[in-house]
Amino acid sequence: VCSSDLEKLVEICGYENLNAVDLSDSAIRQCQDRLRQKKEKGFIKKDAEINYQVADVRSMSSLFANNSVEGIFEKGTLDAIMSSSEDGSGVEDIKDVYLEAMRILDHTSTRNSPVFIAISNMPEQILLSALNPLLLPEYLKTITIEAKGYNGNVYVHIMQKPKEEMY
């Protein structure tokens, strides 16, 4: 959330009670400072609130109960996790992230269909392979964005939580 203008996008979509997590305390402090600056400059509403917390996205049970959030948006987390392991443990780690996302997404929400949106450099087939057998193709929609001046494409992966509990 911190390194972009996602707060504005989320505000436009009408979400409230925003939570942002990062493994790094310094990243959280940087995000809090940036939010304060954006409010001061009038880029976002002065009453906009984001609850920034240090947490490991693979296990957030101390922060979020089962079926407690309407949507999850991440930008680059899956890429960072996959690229940080040379021993292949990144695949297991992103499976943990996916399972945690599915645990906290509220499949009973009447507002919208609960989704986990990931902005990534990872093509759809690699994501499906990494999350096999957890993520079924019918629960994934991917938008490919050709990024000019960027080495490769950017992918917006929209992972829907199944109506029935599969996990």
Side-chain angles (χ1 to χ4, degrees):
V1 171
C2 175
S3 64
S4 63
D5 291 320
L6 297 177
E7 305 98 337
K8 192 67 175 173
L9 177 63
V10 171
E11 179 183 304
I12 290 167
C13 293
Y15 286 100
E16 298 174 356
N17 302 320
L18 301 178
N19 293 283
V21 299
D22 196 290
L23 193 55
S24 165
D25 187 50
S26 62
I28 292 295
R29 284 194 308 275
Q30 180 183 17
C31 290
Q32 290 167 327
D33 289 344
R34 184 164 177 185
L35 178 65
R36 181 186 42 74
Q37 291 169 4
K38 286 181 178 184
K39 286 180 180 183
E40 289 170 358
K41 293 178 180 177
F43 294 146
I44 59 174
K45 293 181 194 175
K46 292 224 183 272
D47 63 348
E49 290 298 325
I50 299 176
N51 181 24
Y52 291 103
Q53 299 182 65
V54 176
D56 184 336
V57 294
R58 295 170 295 178
S59 178
M60 298 182 289
S61 57
S62 64
L63 300 178
F64 304 107
N66 293 352
N67 303 310
S68 62
V69 300
E70 292 183 351
I72 298 170
F73 190 92
E74 78 83 13
K75 187 183 89 171
T77 304
L78 297 180
D79 294 331
I81 290 171
M82 281 290 282
S83 65
S84 67
S85 75
E86 295 177 15
D87 63 356
S89 63
V91 171
E92 290 306 313
D93 287 340
I94 70 163
K95 284 181 179 179
D96 290 342
V97 171
Y98 176 79
L99 287 171
E100 187 67 353
M102 294 303 112
R103 180 188 70 77
I104 66 176
L105 279 172
D106 184 3
H107 69 299
T108 65
S109 173
T110 57
R111 178 178 165 157
N112 56 31
S113 179
V115 291
F116 173 20
I117 299 173
I119 307 296
S120 174
N121 297 322
M122 192 182 321
E124 179 178 18
Q125 289 302 26
I126 293 175
L127 181 66
L128 281 169
S129 176
L131 292 176
N132 185 36
L134 302 174
L135 176 60
L136 302 175
E138 58 265 30
Y139 294 106
L140 173 65
K141 299 289 184 240
T142 298
I143 300 166
T144 303
I145 300 168
E146 187 177 322
K148 297 196 185 310
Y150 177 75
N151 188 17
N153 293 325
V154 175
Y155 303 92
V156 179
H157 300 294
I158 304 166
M159 297 167 264
Q160 185 175 10
K161 181 173 182 174
K163 295 276 185 224
E164 66 283 348
E165 289 294 327
M166 296 174 55
Y167 310 101

PDB file of all heavy atoms in Angstrom, residues 2 40 43 68 72 85 106 110 137 153:
ATOM      1  N   CYS A   2       1.976   1.190   0.633  1.00  0.00           N
ATOM      2  CA  CYS A   2       2.790   2.367   0.885  1.00  0.00           C
ATOM      3  C   CYS A   2       3.441   2.940  -0.367  1.00  0.00           C
ATOM      4  O   CYS A   2       3.539   4.142  -0.519  1.00  0.00           O
ATOM      5  CB  CYS A   2       3.836   1.997   1.914  1.00  0.00           C
ATOM      6  SG  CYS A   2       5.006   3.257   2.251  1.00  0.00           S
ATOM      7  N   GLU A  40      -2.096  15.543   4.581  1.00  0.00           N
ATOM      8  CA  GLU A  40      -1.715  16.949   4.690  1.00  0.00           C
ATOM      9  C   GLU A  40      -1.789  17.658   3.341  1.00  0.00           C
ATOM     10  O   GLU A  40      -2.169  18.824   3.265  1.00  0.00           O
ATOM     11  CB  GLU A  40      -0.305  17.082   5.261  1.00  0.00           C
ATOM     12  CG  GLU A  40      -0.198  16.730   6.724  1.00  0.00           C
ATOM     13  CD  GLU A  40       1.237  16.641   7.220  1.00  0.00           C
ATOM     14  OE1 GLU A  40       2.190  16.816   6.417  1.00  0.00           O
ATOM     15  OE2 GLU A  40       1.416  16.372   8.430  1.00  0.00           O
ATOM     16  N   PHE A  43      -4.348  14.760  -0.809  1.00  0.00           N
ATOM     17  CA  PHE A  43      -4.466  13.702  -1.812  1.00  0.00           C
ATOM     18  C   PHE A  43      -5.517  12.669  -1.434  1.00  0.00           C
ATOM     19  O   PHE A  43      -6.107  12.036  -2.302  1.00  0.00           O
ATOM     20  CB  PHE A  43      -3.120  13.012  -2.044  1.00  0.00           C
ATOM     21  CG  PHE A  43      -2.080  13.890  -2.667  1.00  0.00           C
ATOM     22  CD1 PHE A  43      -0.756  13.752  -2.335  1.00  0.00           C
ATOM     23  CD2 PHE A  43      -2.414  14.864  -3.601  1.00  0.00           C
ATOM     24  CE1 PHE A  43       0.223  14.555  -2.905  1.00  0.00           C
ATOM     25  CE2 PHE A  43      -1.453  15.674  -4.181  1.00  0.00           C
ATOM     26  CZ  PHE A  43      -0.129  15.527  -3.828  1.00  0.00           C
ATOM     27  N   SER A  68     -13.332 -12.911   8.053  1.00  0.00           N
ATOM     28  CA  SER A  68     -13.484 -11.590   8.659  1.00  0.00           C
ATOM     29  C   SER A  68     -13.176 -10.411   7.736  1.00  0.00           C
ATOM     30  O   SER A  68     -13.348  -9.269   8.137  1.00  0.00           O
ATOM     31  CB  SER A  68     -12.596 -11.489   9.903  1.00  0.00           C
ATOM     32  OG  SER A  68     -11.228 -11.631   9.552  1.00  0.00           O
ATOM     33  N   ILE A  72      -8.803  -8.813  -0.236  1.00  0.00           N
ATOM     34  CA  ILE A  72      -7.369  -8.729   0.036  1.00  0.00           C
ATOM     35  C   ILE A  72      -6.702  -8.251  -1.247  1.00  0.00           C
ATOM     36  O   ILE A  72      -6.995  -8.747  -2.338  1.00  0.00           O
ATOM     37  CB  ILE A  72      -6.796 -10.106   0.441  1.00  0.00           C
ATOM     38  CG1 ILE A  72      -7.455 -10.589   1.732  1.00  0.00           C
ATOM     39  CG2 ILE A  72      -5.277 -10.045   0.576  1.00  0.00           C
ATOM     40  CD1 ILE A  72      -7.134 -12.029   2.071  1.00  0.00           C
ATOM     41  N   SER A  85      13.586 -17.378  -2.040  1.00  0.00           N
ATOM     42  CA  SER A  85      14.057 -18.712  -1.656  1.00  0.00           C
ATOM     43  C   SER A  85      14.744 -19.382  -2.825  1.00  0.00           C
ATOM     44  O   SER A  85      14.199 -19.468  -3.911  1.00  0.00           O
ATOM     45  CB  SER A  85      12.885 -19.573  -1.182  1.00  0.00           C
ATOM     46  OG  SER A  85      12.126 -19.997  -2.276  1.00  0.00           O
ATOM     47  N   ASP A 106     -14.216 -13.477   3.747  1.00  0.00           N
ATOM     48  CA  ASP A 106     -15.584 -13.770   4.198  1.00  0.00           C
ATOM     49  C   ASP A 106     -16.437 -14.224   3.022  1.00  0.00           C
ATOM     50  O   ASP A 106     -16.924 -13.410   2.243  1.00  0.00           O
ATOM     51  CB  ASP A 106     -16.183 -12.528   4.851  1.00  0.00           C
ATOM     52  CG  ASP A 106     -17.564 -12.777   5.423  1.00  0.00           C
ATOM     53  OD1 ASP A 106     -18.046 -13.930   5.365  1.00  0.00           O
ATOM     54  OD2 ASP A 106     -18.160 -11.816   5.924  1.00  0.00           O
ATOM     55  N   THR A 110     -22.398 -10.235   1.892  1.00  0.00           N
ATOM     56  CA  THR A 110     -23.477  -9.906   0.958  1.00  0.00           C
ATOM     57  C   THR A 110     -23.089  -8.738   0.063  1.00  0.00           C
ATOM     58  O   THR A 110     -23.757  -8.451  -0.910  1.00  0.00           O
ATOM     59  CB  THR A 110     -24.763  -9.549   1.734  1.00  0.00           C
ATOM     60  OG1 THR A 110     -24.465  -8.457   2.611  1.00  0.00           O
ATOM     61  CG2 THR A 110     -25.280 -10.734   2.510  1.00  0.00           C
ATOM     62  N   PRO A 137      -8.321 -23.578 -11.560  1.00  0.00           N
ATOM     63  CA  PRO A 137      -8.379 -22.554 -12.621  1.00  0.00           C
ATOM     64  C   PRO A 137      -9.705 -21.798 -12.683  1.00  0.00           C
ATOM     65  O   PRO A 137      -9.723 -20.613 -13.017  1.00  0.00           O
ATOM     66  CB  PRO A 137      -8.150 -23.356 -13.902  1.00  0.00           C
ATOM     67  CG  PRO A 137      -7.405 -24.566 -13.464  1.00  0.00           C
ATOM     68  CD  PRO A 137      -7.900 -24.878 -12.074  1.00  0.00           C
ATOM     69  N   ASN A 153       5.708  -8.388 -18.499  1.00  0.00           N
ATOM     70  CA  ASN A 153       4.329  -8.004 -18.258  1.00  0.00           C
ATOM     71  C   ASN A 153       4.039  -7.919 -16.773  1.00  0.00           C
ATOM     72  O   ASN A 153       4.774  -8.462 -15.948  1.00  0.00           O
ATOM     73  CB  ASN A 153       3.377  -9.027 -18.898  1.00  0.00           C
ATOM     74  CG  ASN A 153       3.455  -9.025 -20.402  1.00  0.00           C
ATOM     75  OD1 ASN A 153       3.658  -7.983 -21.019  1.00  0.00           O
ATOM     76  ND2 ASN A 153       3.306 -10.183 -21.004  1.00  0.00           N
TER      77      ASN A 153
END
